[in-house]
Each structure stands twice: as structure tokens, then as C-alpha cells.
Amino acid sequence: VLDSQYGTYVWPCAVVLAQYLWAHRRSLPGKRVLEIGAGVSLPGVVAARCGAQVILSDSEELPQCLQSCRSTCLVNRLPHVPVLGLTWGRVSPELLSLAPIDIILGSDVFFDPKDFEDILTTIYFLLEKNPHAQFWTTYQVRSADWSIEALLHKWNLKSIHVPLHSFGADKEHLASSSMPGRHTIEMMIISLAQSEGT
């Protein structure tokens, strides 16, 4: 049973998303990147080390996760990376004042179905503000009932599945999980769906 410290664990999804960033490292210098639900911030740190301008965020209600983000930055000699408290589904002054972004990262944020709509509400808000941005996300398939398709449609978002083998993340040591049971990791890129007539 996971406790409130789950944001301080490096989940397999974070490793897979970090591998995707590494595979695309030549496109990252100068890109403006926001990691949501960052926890220990492995994907955000990789992006920053590859030359992206990164902002890390986690829930303002989870100070231990925000501190984890800060600690990870210090350990990786990235003291300039800002850490923000952003709570999914809440329009806060921090969310409203975010600078333009190109890429949103989220590893294993689709963990608890009760949070799915709040996450996509926040992603929709960010993509509306940054129409050319994309949300790069990895998740573990934990249930056959797991689906965000209806929510993507509701929020006028589309997704593209990214096969793990396409960026070398299908290896056992990357995508395997030591958590109970065997779970499949998937990756998708979410963006605004084209509006009708364009």
C-alpha cells in the first residue's frame, strides 16, 4: 500500500520518459519545458541537463514533493530551475503567470482515476495558452478499465501512442517494474485537437 510519499519514488514511468527525452536530446536546447507532478523530477532534470529551460511543479498541497524537486535540482547542480506548487484542476496565480511553454512532461500522473479530469483540465488550460505545445506522458496500465479517451474528447484533445521500441525503452531494465504485479508502461503525446473548419 502506497503512502503519501509516493511522489518521492522514482517510478518506472519516469525512467521511460527520461529515456524518451534522452533520445530526443538534440531537439531540447532552448525548449521551454514544464514537468507536472514532478516528484523526484527525473524527466525534468534530464531535460534541463540537455539544455531545456525547465520549470518543475507538483501539488502545492504536497510540500514534501516540492522539497524533493528542490533537492533533486541541488544534487544535479541545477539550482536555477524553478519549482512551483501547481495543483491539478485549480487555476492559481502561479498557473496564470506561467511563461510560454513548448513541452509539458508528466510521468505516471494518470495514477488515480479521480485525478484524471483535473489533470486534463490543467493540460487543456496550458495547451490553450500554448497551442503548439505538447504533453509528453508515460503511464502504467494498471487496470483494463483505464481510459482517458472520453475525457480527451470532452476537452478537445488528441493523443498519439509512442511505441517504446521506437526510442529504445522496451528493454527489461528500463520498462520493467518491481512493483507488485506486472504492468505495461505506455507513452503518448497529447495535443489540442484541430477545431472544426481549420
Side-chain angles (χ1 to χ4, degrees), residues 116-196:
F116 289 4
E117 186 150 27
D118 285 343
I119 294 163
L120 289 177
T121 300
T122 300
I123 294 303
Y124 177 78
F125 176 86
L126 291 166
L127 293 176
E128 274 282 298
K129 215 173 146 183
N130 304 276
H132 301 292
Q134 295 179 327
F135 177 36
W136 298 358
T137 185
T138 51
Y139 58 93
Q140 278 190 321
V141 180
R142 292 180 171 89
S143 167
D145 299 332
W146 190 100
S147 178
I148 61 167
E149 291 304 316
L151 289 173
L152 290 174
H153 181 73
K154 175 181 177 179
W155 288 101
N156 196 34
L157 299 169
K158 64 180 179 181
S159 69
I160 297 169
H161 178 261
V162 181
L164 300 193
H165 68 82
S166 69
F167 58 99
D170 57 340
K171 310 295 184 259
E172 185 70 21
H173 70 282
L174 279 175
S176 67
S177 172
S178 60
M179 301 305 286
R182 181 91 172 112
H183 301 292
T184 303
I185 295 178
E186 300 285 341
M187 177 166 179
M188 63 182 158
I189 294 176
I190 296 174
S191 58
L192 286 177
Q194 296 289 4
S195 56
E196 292 181 24

Side-chain angles (χ1 to χ4, degrees), residues 21-154:
L21 289 157
W22 181 249
H24 293 86
R25 62 190 174 275
R26 287 178 186 81
S27 69
L28 291 174
K31 289 279 194 275
R32 299 160 302 188
V33 174
L34 169 69
E35 184 176 3
I36 65 166
V40 294
S41 318
L42 177 61
V45 164
V46 170
R49 300 292 291 183
C50 290
Q53 301 168 22
V54 174
I55 298 171
L56 301 175
S57 72
D58 213 311
S59 173
E60 59 193 334
E61 298 165 2
L62 298 173
Q64 74 275 19
C65 289
L66 293 171
Q67 185 53 47
S68 180
C69 292
R70 291 182 192 99
S71 298
T72 300
C73 289
L74 291 176
V75 166
N76 287 281
R77 295 185 297 277
L78 296 167
H80 61 283
V81 172
V83 175
L84 296 179
L86 297 178
T87 300
W88 303 327
R90 184 179 300 160
V91 178
S92 63
E94 291 78 12
L95 184 66
L96 290 170
S97 64
L98 270 177
I101 52 176
D102 302 304
I103 300 166
I104 307 159
L105 302 175
S107 68
D108 220 0
V109 294
F110 294 110
F111 179 82
D112 188 340
K114 74 175 178 53
D115 295 327
F116 289 4
E117 186 150 27
D118 285 343
I119 294 163
L120 289 177
T121 300
T122 300
I123 294 303
Y124 177 78
F125 176 86
L126 291 166
L127 293 176
E128 274 282 298
K129 215 173 146 183
N130 304 276
H132 301 292
Q134 295 179 327
F135 177 36
W136 298 358
T137 185
T138 51
Y139 58 93
Q140 278 190 321
V141 180
R142 292 180 171 89
S143 167
D145 299 332
W146 190 100
S147 178
I148 61 167
E149 291 304 316
L151 289 173
L152 290 174
H153 181 73
K154 175 181 177 179

